[in-house]
Amino acid sequence: MSSQIEHELAPQYEPGSIEPEIYARWLAAGAFDAHAGRSSRIGGDRPPFTIVIPPPNVTAVLHMGHGLDETVQDVIIRWRRMAGDEALWVPGTDHAGIATQNVIEKQLAVEGKTRFDVGRAAFISRTEEFVRLTGGSILEQLHAIGASCDWSRTAYTLSPELSSAVREAFVRLYEKGLIYRGHRVIHWCSRCLTSLSDEEAEHEETTGTLYHVRYPLLNADGTVDAAEGVTVATTRPETMLGDVAVAVHPEDDRYRHLVGRNVLLPIANLPIPVIADAYTDPAFGTGVVKITPAHDPNDFEVGMRHGLPMPVIMTGPGEMRDEPDATPRRVPTDLTGIDRFEARERIVASLGAQGLLARRETHLHAVRHCYRCDTVVEPRLSDQWFVRTAPLAAPALDGVRRGDIRILPERHHAVYINWMENIRDWNISRQLWWGHRIPVWYCDRCGGEPLVSREDVSACPTCAGPVRQDEDVLDTWFSSWLWPMSTLGWPDTDSEDIRAFYPTDVLVSGPDILFFWIARMIMAGYEFMGRRPFHTVYLHGIARDPSGRKMSKSLGNGIDPLDVVRLFGADALRYTVIAGMGMGVDVRLDPDDLEKSFTPGRNFATKLWNIGRFLLGSVGREPVAPLATIDSSRLTRADAWILDRLKVAFAECDAALGAARPPGGEESAWPADERFAGLRLNEYTETARRFVWNELADWYVESTKSRLTPDAEDREVARSVLVHVFDAALRLLHPVVPFITESLWQRLPVSGHSPDAVLATQRWPVRHGDHAVRAREFAVVQEAVMAIRQLRADYALPPGRAVEV
RNA sequence: GGGCGAAUAGCUCAGCUGGUUAGAGCGCCUGCCUUACACGCAGGAUGUCGGGGGUUCGAAUCCCUCUUCGCCCACCA
């Protein structure tokens, strides 16, 4: 008897020795390989189901954010794979323009150099080398958490293929008039030395100072009118060197008489006019605004309306300086070359000394910062490339509004709509070196229109003279917005993959890149493919520490998923985050107490392992008879009950997961009742847990023990039911805890498995006969048992002692 | 300034379209090393579902309002 319960399974789940082996087995079995030919879109017999990974930065190191994001995707893709879809999960990385360039620049800084010291070509090859050596290691790390990506399709935004997609997109938009060169005020990072898009310049509440500065009135002869003047309020006094006017509201009686006269711009000592413009709010401050067209987007508009000059008085790195050909000169010698913040102090001091500083007050306002280096962004007039977004936004807006694309959880739907309705043109040029060079060439000899080309241009087609390529590179997001198409072969719309797998299905991400990436992918999908890129956007929560702070490298409160895998296994990590995360809700984990944080997953993994250990030991190695061959009259009440519970569990799991795609077919929108339903992964997981633990283990296994002894009468029936139910349970749980389920499933005593069969590609459980009636009989037994247990506990009877009932 | 979300057991959270004694995990209490599992088993305690008002036969669930947190967006100098 004891030999029967002997087994080779360790008493505790040992992930370290099991998981790598299982992962290798999946790879060897080709379990994650998607085959275009099997897609029903091109004649196959399986509905395709595709997820593209949000490509991590190529230099990234795995953190909990990835752990969470990738686990969600893996659960979904494994579910669909088992449901019989041709499931494809496309992996890849993003070259991450600014982020990666910053990494290399930091390396150079250690050597006391800047990128300008080494030069563009050397800088790029150095970066490429760095990426070659370290890039993609994050994808390797994903193996450890069980990610079932099709690695043969690994993509990279800077690969030759995706680079040509980027050029194609640029040229097409240019030819349609949707990309243009714009001269306007953009956000400028004086540390990264590049322009930024609106999204990349993040607002940050800051307590600053509002300075009230007096600009004396000038008489017609240029002398100062001692009696009068105007006072302007500014938070950035240093920009006054670029002032070309002061504006008052046209209907403001206080200042009406001053319009047309000049005031004296202090420090620069220049006369500037008083103009009337409705932009001015008479109620704010003094009702007088200084106009600095080159360093403020609103002032730029005013400047355009009034035909004012637009002097730039600050350099790229943020030092005060006139442009070389500037007339008149505005930056005094003693301020030239001085950093903008230092200049601010000096100007304020000087104004104070001259009695021109009327007042200073603390002022709470939102200052934009560079999203990559947190430097205060400077509005700056420059020439940049822009995407005209309004025409792209229209279909993207309509698509989401009508349910062509649903956004989960529901509350993000409105956020998307609001953003898309107020979208502004997208600055796509960056003054960086790492990225896709803008495919535009200029001929300085004949100076004609810029040449925008898919192919490199080596000579001017008009005058055969030399050409030079635009120095700038494209915003990193200009390549990632094509990701669902470019990874499948676009612009070749005849490619097998794009026909088989586009549109993709679910896009999983954190809400932080809804605008950066998701909204733009939607625009690109409709623009370039004429169809949605996916039908579902699933936005999950983010990882926070116990005090609610977002986990981040800089705060040092992050968790390395690989530590968790090492300690408790990938399944414990996966179970914990999936079970503990309501849709769109942040998950709290304690980096200082991993054991506590991952207890739910660890406990569940161990429990499942032990159920398997007991079950495999008791049923033995002899293959069981398939349940279908057992006459239903031989089933006990307990058998009927567990089969009924299994059926209910399937139904509840299916309901929680919902429809995998819009039910109306390829081009259909989501019907209202399914619009915001489905993908409730935590409910699915909880249902599966309850079934396996509270029903299968606590009741069925316990009540079946006596039937499993070697000489028990209906041992064969019990073995069949047990193996059948456990097999189904392993399938049900596999998407969440793939390693343990695979490991146990491999050992099930069933005949007919091919030697290389893996659970990962088995079918999601199918429904069975109706056992509800007899199941109710067992429920009566349960009631009785629970009543007895309660009595035992109440009277403190030891479990060993028999009780007469 | 605009928009959104959250407030449910000691902690972290589920409670979908209002309807039997409000749930889970962790923690806590009692008893169990019952040879699958003490990372476990059995039993148990703990909630005027943020405050106030309303709709309804009936509300944690719908409406209004207040309070406290949090998030997103934003060209008021």
Side-chain angles (χ1 to χ4, degrees), chain A residues 325-347:
Chain A
D325 53 353
T327 38
R329 313 299 292 180
R330 296 170 153 267
V331 182
T333 328
D334 62 337
L335 287 175
T336 296
I338 300 299
D339 176 78
R340 52 190 170 146
F341 295 120
E342 170 67 17
R344 178 179 299 176
E345 297 308 316
R346 293 196 191 186
I347 286 172

Side-chain angles (χ1 to χ4, degrees), chain A residues 286-349:
Chain A
T286 58
V288 186
V289 189
K290 62 194 270 302
I291 301 299
T292 323
H295 294 281
D296 185 285
N298 295 309
D299 295 3
F300 175 77
E301 297 299 325
V302 176
M304 290 297 283
R305 279 197 289 275
H306 294 267
L308 300 169
M310 304 186 173
V312 173
I313 46 89
M314 206 182 288
T315 62
E319 293 168 350
M320 310 310 295
R321 190 182 299 277
D322 279 315
E323 302 221 285
D325 53 353
T327 38
R329 313 299 292 180
R330 296 170 153 267
V331 182
T333 328
D334 62 337
L335 287 175
T336 296
I338 300 299
D339 176 78
R340 52 190 170 146
F341 295 120
E342 170 67 17
R344 178 179 299 176
E345 297 308 316
R346 293 196 191 186
I347 286 172
V348 168

